[in-house]
Amino acid sequence: MTTMNVNTEVRSGETDNTQDVPGSRAPLVLNMDKFNQVTQQVCQVAEARRTPMAWYITFAIGLGLLSLLGFCIVYLIVTGVGVWGLNNPVMWAYDITNFVFWVGIGHAGTLISAILFLFRQKWRTGINRFAEAMTIFAVMCAGIFPGIHVGRVWVVYWLFPLPNQMEMWPQFRSPLLWDVFAVGTYFTVSLLFWFTGLVPDLATMRDRAKGKIQQIAYGAFALGWRGSNRHWHRYERAYLLLAALSTPLVLSVHSVVSFDFATSQLPGWHTTIFPPYFVAGAIFSGFAMVVTLAIPAREMFGLKNLITLRHLDNMNKVILLTGCMVGYAYAMEFFIAWYSGAIYEKFAFINRAFGQYWWAYFLMVSCNVITPQLFWFKAIRTSIPIMFALSLLVNVGMWFERFVIIVTSLANDFLPSSWDVFSPTWVDIGTFFGSFGLFLTMFMLFCRFLPMIAIAEVKAVMPEADPHFGDDHQGDDSDHGHADAKEAHA
Amino acid sequence: MTGDLEYRVDDSKTTQDTNDQTGTREPLSPSLQGRDLWRSLEDLSHTDEFKAFSDREFQEGAQNLEGEDRRQFMKIMGASFALAGLGTAACRRLPETKIAPYANRPDDRDPGVSVEYASTCKLGGVPVPVVVTSYDGRPIYLRGNGDHPAMPSDACGAMVQGTVLELYNPERLRVATNNGDDSTWADFDAWMKTRMQSHPGGAGLAILSGAANGPTTDSMKARMASDMPSATWSEWEAVNDDNVFLGTKIAFGAPHEVVTDLAQADIVVSLDSDFLGTESDNGNNPAGWASRRRLEGQPADATMSRIYQIEPMLTVSGIGSDERIALRSSRVPALARAIAKRVGVSGGVEDPQLASELKASVNRSFTSHEGTHEEVVVTDADIFDKMIEDLESHRGRCLVLAGGGQPPEVHALAAILNEKLGNVGRTVSYRPVARSRTRVDALTALVKDMNAGAVKTLIIFDSNPVYDAPADLEFAKALSKVEKVVYFGTSLNETTDAAQFEWVIPGVHYLEAWGDATATDGTVSIVQPLIHPLVDDSQGGRSMVEVLAMLMGDEQTDGLEILRDTARSRFTGDDYAFERFWRQALSDGYEKGTSTPTSTPGVSSGAMAAAMRGSNALSSDAVIELAIYQDGRVYDGRFANVGWMQELPDPVSKLTWDNAIYMGPELAKQQGLVSGDMVTLKTENGSIESAVMVMPGWASGTCSLSIGYGRGESAGMIANGAGFNVYPIRRADGMSLVSKVTLDKTGETYPLASTQDHGIYGSLDPSVPEAGIQERLPSIVREGSLETYQKDPAFNKGLAHVAHSLSLWEETNLDGAKFRWALSVDLTTCTGCSECVVACQSENNIPIVGKDQVIRGREMSWIRIDRYFKGGTASNPEQVVTQPVCCLHCENAPCEQVCPVAATVHDKDGLNVMVYNRCIGTRYCSNNCPYKVRRFNWFDYQRREPVREQEGLFAVKPSYYTSEGPSDFRRMQFNPEVTVRSRGVMEKCSMCSQRIAKAKIQYKNEWAQAGGVSTGKDWSIPDGAIRTACQEACSTGAIVFGDLNDPESKVNKLFSSPRTYDLLAELNTKNRVKYMALVTNPAFERSVHGHGGHGHGDHGHGDHGHGDHGHGDHGHGDHGHGDHGHGDHDHDHDHDHGDHDHADKHVSARNNGKVVNDA
């Protein structure tokens, strides 16, 4: 139909739009030429009378795991933190590993929504909505762990600077307090950002809704959106401001989380490289999780033309880049440990790689350093099954990264007399898998009831959104067209 | 306002009309007219709700103040103040019986102020004078009575400490039973009186007790012997001095006790004697040992004794020795004979096989650093030769000790050697023993009588022969032949389980009864009760003396009166003088001037020949021996149900809750065993099953298993399942050594709960890089030889490398503090005996957590003793070192920086304090603590049954979810001055802040009473007035607490000692607990006179230059790098060290004191 279809071809059920043809723009939406098609396709997921069986199955799994989480947490609170496998040197293990893991996952959403937005990376529109949702759910999962891991859960609110009759403030030098602020801010801003982006789409849902309940529910959250020019103007301003606000948060949250370790005395934790290394790792794991979620979601709800192979290819490139950064950090840690001349530091890293947790370390290195290197190959970057498998591996690797950092450093620190081994109990494992239940349940509900794709934004990156779309005076205004091409070119 | 009121009133009326049956109220309350003041509208309207509320304001107790309930209320309130010291009559802690509300407080009684009483604990017949701290009538803490002539210090030993918990054993026997049915003391009394009529002259009556001494008991025995000549009295102790008894009999013709004075000994040769551990002689040996090891107060050319330890297994004494030969137990007699031969005792024999074995046994081997890089090999024969040399050159100033587990000949030889070396009267003297039989002989005679049917009535006092009698006596079988058996004891045990007892009567604990005892020096010591027996009066609760008095039909059956009567009979003087004497004795805990002098008997002429008797042939190397020894925690098994003892780590193996067959790696390898394997240990006379634990330092072909474990369910909940019982193969002729055993792996494994090397075995575990341990040890436990110390007392400063001491934070400002508390720990005099651990547990309400929790690594002790092996090989480490670690109270505390809720902060005296109420349990403080001294309450340990293994989903629940919680009795031990921590909070050493607070109150009050400000002086606390529990319990005085602001304080002087160092100084934590470097006096150079920690080669100075570090600026002072020769180090590392790679890495530039000045 247009020049944009020039380099699309059908390959094993996938439309390959990853080819870059000089002078033309790769399409970000496939097989569509009307805005309404987008609306129709995205909204029908929520409006459909029949929900796909796969959704029910996944949701059931999610609910099952969520109940496991609930059970484990109640059991933990009723009996004591001792139900986990923690011990004297290893006072944190699965709890904080899971916390950092989930916070890390939560990074991709904001990166995609804020940073890519500011950099005018239009391909973000296909994935930003559910990546942001993923962020919010991941941060919720993350937030559980610091909350429940304390010995006296009933006074966990003392972490917050609330005025109280004890006239006690929290201790502001503690990185745990910084965490409270960093994660709290991150969650709030991410939620606002996500919700702001949702408003026009919620209005669309409201307008299309058939039932009274849907109309009221969507209507309440649509905040009276009517699509007026003024609305759009304010919306765009707000969105831009929130993007600007979120951008530093992408860097700050995981930097602050890494301070939990970096500001301590412990060999293996006390490392200046941690902030950038953690941020890179977080983006790495976050993108892997987006890929992990996007692949089944686009399959289940038939969104392949909106979340195209090109989107996945782009994300894989980000994974490759951040994977290299993580690999560099691993190497640099070793170098610094050797260069420092500190025997404890040196031992911590040798022990990490060759000590009792060598298997975790090698799992981490192979998943996080070797796996992403496969993404140098385009065939792999564009192969759905392989990238799915690799994204899972990256997730596994990144969980083990946190496990390795936390547990191996604690297990063998300064005085050999205190060394011990951590082994998880079923409650540790149950809580960990249970947190996936919470995530999955939330995500499935989101998929079912909210627009998974930012409808309004996607429309803006379609060729049809070009004011000159359909004009036949291309030659007259080639400059304009050229600029558009650049802009749409992801 | 009015409208509102009207509305409310109307509203309440509605409810009123429907609910109030009495119907006495008007819509508008009459009180409105009657009262001027009201607190609320509800008050005004006088509703029922308000009435209920106004009552509630004074809580439930308010109603009790009216009417009949007032009595109940006074009882409840009175219970808090009850008790304590209105003589023993009011000591009972059970509130329902005796209430003493302090409407008029007795003059000498301050509620909430603890009182100390002197008493005596009898540990297997060995009296240990103690001072008991009592709180509102509850004894809660014990220490040794250092004022007693038999006690060198206030250390009483871990087991004695544990007896205070034994008092509150929830499973104590509380009901007298007659043939299994509940009965009373009165019924028994009547029964016994009738029964005694069938024993004319005592015929058919036998008494079996534990070792009993003391003037009162002795006079009872004497009277019994005269009144009932046919009755027999046997005393049995599974841990006994039979070998000493027989050995000294060989040497002197009569049995003697051996009284040693290590303070006078320059050279000590210990023949398998654990003189610093289980044979510490009430701490006299450790104290004497320490007095010759302490370097403070000595001139620069300080001297130190040298200890040669010859032993089959590693003991506390082995750790405290300078040269150690690991030798099979059966070889020790041959070695003793060889010493005799060498020092010129005629008749001595040097076995050639032994000599060649010693020669072949390499004690250590390493590459010398003395510039020559020669291979240094020290064999056991070299050490033996040097030992002889030392003995001969220190005649009159040396000492040969023989271990209680060695046969009589070795004891005889020790006596002969000491005489030959001129030590008698100097380092060793003797005291005659009045007993005529050994313990085994006494028991054997009784069993013979029982089997012959000569015993009709057997009365057993606090003895457990079915469990601990020699297996070949078959006591249980003999017991069934006795007509009537009466048992007096504090708890049920194997003996009460074994037979149908006519009577089982609850006995008393020594803290509940009057008595006396003859201390090791002969001094008459008083056993004073601190509390009324925790057994109902009708159920018994009689002491042995009281029962005996009843048996003999005495009129006087009150323990105190019997005691006073015997004391009076010995006292010459009028009643008035006696009363004074008696009160003084009670206060002191002993009767002054009653000690008996020691003697210096001459060795009898035939002694040497007798000592040479017995088989001289050495057993084959292929034979595996089992050494049976006394465990330092459960004694002969009697403390198996004391939780503190079960959870106290073995000083050597760090094993808790179990014993195990220990063996060296060589034997384990040869037998294909690893730690945790179950084996069947077969002997010629039966077999037992036990788990195996592999430990370095055991002699080849030797394994060992301690007595006192494996008591099954008989002993109680705590003891249930703890360890393995060696008694079934312990025979009268082989009480401490079983030769020719075989070990068969059963294929099963057993979980061992060790507090160090959790699940792994430290340097023996290949999965943790050993370099990581050995590399850092020299800076953690700084250590050098005496020679090194003499040349440079500050030698330890070169053992660690502190590059920068910059703080990231503004440091806590502690200027202007009135006190700066600090603690000094001298590694030179620490033996690792672990008594401090129990004292701390007792003082600070530290829970026991159970075996499964220890396996998880969750033990709660606030002070731990780290034990490291240094150098050598896995089977033969060159050195074993111990280091007590409690919270180091860093001024720059890493824990404080990271606590999000400020639950751990500094107090103004500079202590790092834990605010339990504020703690939410993030555990970050522990993660950031480099010393890992913080302990977390994973569960509600204080309310949880500390059983060994918790099974099932809800097994971990604290016991308050079950209908029955842990007994109130257990709680009675708690120290009310220390918070009992709840679940979910962090805890740690507080440096006994409750004791500090107490002293502050006391001295400030005294100052105020003396005039306060008008005295012109500020108040102060004298040095030594405050002692921490660990300090009090340290028999060697290795721990010293005090104020750094006091220039004259002991701790201040120790802190300025050149030997003092900071643990992990490179972290700049500025510890208030500092260590003094370990100095030993080895006869030969060691490879590990650590320098490795300094690690110049590792630091790569060549790579980044010295200039960066500015060593002069960073406190290296005299010990600059120039002294240490980096080039040399790097050079050394390149050398081919053959097999000795680990040791060689740490070869010192200061080997044996010689500083290599080659830079």
Side-chain angles (χ1 to χ4, degrees), chain B residues 122-184:
Chain B
K122 291 187 199 176
L123 188 65
V126 181
V128 183
V130 291
V131 173
V132 194
T133 303
S134 173
Y135 226 111
D136 290 350
R138 298 173 290 118
I140 57 162
Y141 178 83
L142 293 174
R143 62 176 170 88
N145 183 0
D147 296 333
H148 192 287
M151 293 288 283
S153 69
D154 284 353
C156 59
M159 286 184 293
V160 174
Q161 281 276 358
T163 56
V164 73
L165 190 60
E166 192 194 23
L167 170 70
Y168 301 114
N169 178 6
E171 294 167 285
R172 265 182 73 176
L173 201 49
R174 291 183 206 285
V175 181
T177 54
N178 177 15
N179 283 315
D181 300 327
D182 287 5
S183 186
T184 61

Side-chain angles (χ1 to χ4, degrees), chain B residues 316-637:
Chain B
V316 169
S317 311
I319 295 173
S321 68
D322 299 299
E323 293 293 351
R324 181 176 175 274
I325 299 177
L327 193 71
R328 284 162 168 262
S329 188
S330 66
R331 298 273 199 278
V332 174
L335 189 104
R337 290 176 189 127
I339 300 174
K341 161 95 175 160
R342 289 282 194 95
V343 300
V345 178
S346 64
V349 170
E350 197 167 358
D351 187 283
Q353 189 194 334
L354 179 72
S356 62
E357 270 181 26
L358 288 178
K359 204 159 208 166
S361 168
V362 174
N363 193 287
R364 47 190 182 253
S365 135
F366 55 92
T367 309
S368 167
H369 245 248
E370 304 277 321
T372 54
H373 306 299
E374 272 174 0
E375 193 78 2
V376 174
V377 177
V378 180
T379 66
D380 284 346
D382 295 333
I383 292 172
F384 181 76
D385 293 343
K386 180 76 180 162
M387 177 173 94
I388 302 295
E389 197 182 297
D390 276 345
L391 282 177
E392 289 193 316
S393 61
H394 291 83
R395 282 171 186 272
R397 286 180 291 125
C398 57
L399 175 62
V400 180
L401 294 168
Q406 286 296 322
E409 296 81 52
V410 177
H411 292 267
L413 280 166
I416 294 164
L417 283 169
N418 280 325
E419 190 183 66
K420 178 76 186 169
L421 292 164
N423 299 330
V424 180
R426 291 186 168 125
T427 60
V428 67
S429 54
Y430 302 89
R431 190 176 279 119
V433 174
R435 247 175 29 239
S436 57
R437 295 187 292 188
T438 63
R439 303 286 187 211
V440 171
D441 287 348
L443 190 66
T444 311
L446 174 68
V447 169
K448 212 171 148 195
D449 286 352
M450 285 158 74
N451 283 327
V455 178
K456 301 287 178 220
T457 306
L458 174 65
I459 304 176
I460 302 176
F461 287 105
D462 257 333
S463 189
N464 189 9
V466 170
Y467 171 67
D468 64 13
D472 47 343
L473 293 185
E474 298 186 278
F475 191 89
K477 220 162 132 192
L479 197 60
S480 62
K481 300 199 173 127
V482 180
E483 226 168 74
K484 301 281 180 196
V485 189
V486 179
Y487 182 84
F488 281 87
T490 50
S491 54
L492 295 175
N493 55 29
E494 289 79 353
T495 304
T496 55
D497 286 354
Q500 176 66 48
F501 275 65
E502 186 67 25
W503 287 93
V504 175
I505 312 283
V508 289
H509 191 265
Y510 77 93
L511 290 169
E512 299 168 336
W514 287 100
D516 53 16
T518 311
T520 45
D521 69 338
T523 300
V524 175
S525 310
I526 311 286
V527 182
Q528 185 177 200
L530 267 289
I531 190 168
H532 206 73
L534 295 168
V535 179
D536 198 57
D537 273 340
S538 66
Q539 298 298 341
R542 301 289 191 281
S543 68
M544 185 172 78
V545 171
E546 289 169 324
V547 176
L548 289 174
M550 190 272 277
L551 278 186
M552 288 190 287
D554 289 357
E555 273 178 26
Q556 185 55 271
T557 55
D558 179 76
L560 172 60
E561 294 307 322
I562 299 170
L563 188 67
R564 276 173 62 96
D565 289 349
T566 36
R568 185 73 188 85
S569 67
R570 280 179 285 122
F571 187 76
T572 51
D574 60 9
D575 283 355
Y576 179 69
F578 173 72
E579 201 57 38
R580 275 186 18 176
F581 160 81
W582 176 250
R583 284 176 183 224
Q584 186 62 45
L586 276 190
S587 167
D588 293 344
Y590 66 97
E591 296 176 11
K592 277 204 173 67
T594 47
S595 66
T596 53
T598 56
S599 63
T600 52
V603 171
S604 55
S605 54
M608 191 59 200
M612 294 303 293
R613 252 181 258 136
S615 168
N616 286 333
L618 300 186
S619 58
S620 144
D621 271 350
V623 169
I624 302 172
E625 298 179 1
L626 174 73
I628 301 171
Y629 66 102
Q630 178 210 327
D631 192 276
R633 298 168 293 165
V634 301
Y635 201 65
D636 54 4

Side-chain angles (χ1 to χ4, degrees), chain B residues 47-379:
Chain B
T47 62
D48 274 2
E49 289 86 336
F50 179 75
K51 204 174 172 190
F53 171 69
S54 65
D55 280 349
R56 267 201 313 278
E57 255 195 295
F58 297 101
Q59 305 301 328
E60 291 86 342
Q63 292 99 317
N64 294 343
L65 280 168
E66 297 164 15
E68 288 185 2
D69 278 336
R70 186 176 170 278
R71 276 174 74 96
Q72 178 63 25
F73 177 64
M74 289 312 288
K75 271 181 172 175
I76 295 164
M77 292 302 286
S80 328
F81 305 118
L83 348 160
L86 299 176
T88 49
C91 275
R92 171 163 296 243
R93 187 66 181 88
L94 299 174
E96 67 271 21
T97 51
K98 296 202 172 70
I99 297 295
Y102 279 164
N104 294 306
R105 180 172 61 80
D107 284 346
D108 57 348
R109 181 66 51 191
D110 296 316
V113 175
S114 59
V115 209
E116 288 189 332
Y117 294 97
S119 186
T120 309
C121 168
K122 291 187 199 176
L123 188 65
V126 181
V128 183
V130 291
V131 173
V132 194
T133 303
S134 173
Y135 226 111
D136 290 350
R138 298 173 290 118
I140 57 162
Y141 178 83
L142 293 174
R143 62 176 170 88
N145 183 0
D147 296 333
H148 192 287
M151 293 288 283
S153 69
D154 284 353
C156 59
M159 286 184 293
V160 174
Q161 281 276 358
T163 56
V164 73
L165 190 60
E166 192 194 23
L167 170 70
Y168 301 114
N169 178 6
E171 294 167 285
R172 265 182 73 176
L173 201 49
R174 291 183 206 285
V175 181
T177 54
N178 177 15
N179 283 315
D181 300 327
D182 287 5
S183 186
T184 61
W185 168 259
D187 288 345
F188 168 72
D189 205 355
W191 179 89
M192 197 67 219
K193 280 196 171 112
T194 333
R195 184 75 189 165
M196 284 306 286
Q197 287 164 11
S198 61
H199 297 300
L205 179 70
I207 292 174
L208 173 65
S209 73
N213 70 5
T216 307
T217 319
D218 290 345
S219 76
M220 282 281 179
K221 276 191 209 168
R223 273 179 53 214
M224 232 179 115
S226 63
D227 294 0
M228 292 188 271
S230 310
T232 63
W233 185 315
S234 320
E235 290 173 24
W236 165 244
E237 287 292 339
V239 175
N240 55 52
D241 58 352
D242 282 0
N243 290 326
V244 186
F245 183 98
L246 294 170
T248 47
K249 204 170 168 186
I250 295 172
F252 308 124
H256 281 75
E257 267 175 58
V258 182
V259 183
T260 52
D261 187 358
L262 271 81
Q264 305 302 321
D266 290 344
I267 302 295
V268 177
V269 173
S270 158
L271 300 169
D272 190 15
S273 167
D274 187 10
F275 63 98
L276 296 177
T278 53
E279 297 173 70
S280 77
D281 181 26
N282 283 354
N284 276 301
N285 285 338
W289 170 85
S291 72
R292 297 304 313 279
R293 314 286 291 183
R294 197 168 287 119
L295 293 160
E296 272 47 55
Q298 289 206 52
D301 56 343
T303 61
M304 199 181 235
S305 63
R306 179 173 290 156
I307 315 292
Y308 290 93
Q309 181 78 9
I310 292 118
E311 58 183 9
M313 49 188 252
L314 187 59
T315 62
V316 169
S317 311
I319 295 173
S321 68
D322 299 299
E323 293 293 351
R324 181 176 175 274
I325 299 177
L327 193 71
R328 284 162 168 262
S329 188
S330 66
R331 298 273 199 278
V332 174
L335 189 104
R337 290 176 189 127
I339 300 174
K341 161 95 175 160
R342 289 282 194 95
V343 300
V345 178
S346 64
V349 170
E350 197 167 358
D351 187 283
Q353 189 194 334
L354 179 72
S356 62
E357 270 181 26
L358 288 178
K359 204 159 208 166
S361 168
V362 174
N363 193 287
R364 47 190 182 253
S365 135
F366 55 92
T367 309
S368 167
H369 245 248
E370 304 277 321
T372 54
H373 306 299
E374 272 174 0
E375 193 78 2
V376 174
V377 177
V378 180
T379 66

Side-chain angles (χ1 to χ4, degrees), chain A residues 71 75-92 95 149-156 158-159 164 166 168-178 259-266 269-270 338-344 346-348 350-351 354-356 410 412-426, chain B residues 755-760 767-769 771-773 775-777 779-780 808-810 855-858 864 866-868 885 892 894 896-902 916-924 926-932 934-936 938-940 952-958 960-961 982-986 1063-1064 1066-1067 1069 1093 1098-1099 1103-1104:
Chain A
F71 178 79
Y75 182 49
L76 172 91
I77 291 173
V78 166
T79 39
V81 192
V83 297
W84 287 342
L86 304 167
N87 56 32
N88 186 19
V90 190
M91 292 255 173
W92 292 347
D95 46 356
H149 96 296
V150 299
R152 301 201 297 160
V153 183
W154 46 96
V155 288
V156 75
W158 288 353
L159 280 170
N164 58 71
M166 294 176 283
M168 279 293 292
W169 287 111
Q171 212 264 104
F172 287 95
R173 289 181 303 178
S174 171
L176 285 188
L177 188 68
W178 310 343
F259 288 161
D260 284 352
F261 311 107
T263 61
S264 78
Q265 290 252 38
L266 208 65
W269 281 16
H270 182 68
W338 168 77
Y339 186 71
S340 72
I343 52 171
Y344 303 109
K346 202 177 65 175
F347 173 79
I350 292 172
N351 186 49
F354 304 107
Q356 54 200 354
L410 286 170
N412 306 96
D413 70 335
F414 294 97
L415 302 183
S417 62
S418 303
W419 293 358
D420 205 342
V421 191
F422 165 80
S423 56
T425 62
W426 65 266
Chain B
T755 60
Q756 208 175 316
D757 329 316
H758 281 282
I760 56 169
S767 76
V768 175
I773 303 172
E775 192 176 27
R776 60 184 70 179
L777 274 190
S779 72
I780 292 173
L808 189 56
W809 311 100
E810 193 179 323
I855 288 177
R856 272 268 175 225
R858 294 171 177 173
R864 59 168 201 262
D866 290 352
R867 179 266 297 126
Y868 300 108
V885 185
N892 268 347
E896 291 176 16
Q897 319 282 5
V898 298
C899 175
V901 293
Y916 304 124
N917 272 349
R918 183 67 188 163
C919 178
I920 65 170
T922 65
R923 310 184 292 283
Y924 199 173
S926 171
N927 287 343
N928 207 28
C929 173
Y931 312 100
K932 290 289 174 278
R934 295 182 149 259
R935 300 286 181 255
F936 188 67
W938 300 101
F939 295 113
D940 213 342
L953 180 60
F954 289 101
V956 287
K957 68 190 167 186
Y960 54 82
Y961 294 111
S982 77
R983 154 196 155 193
V985 299
M986 193 60 81
L1063 184 58
L1064 302 178
E1066 56 271 52
L1067 299 179
T1069 48
D1098 304 321
H1099 280 233
D1103 297 326
H1104 57 268

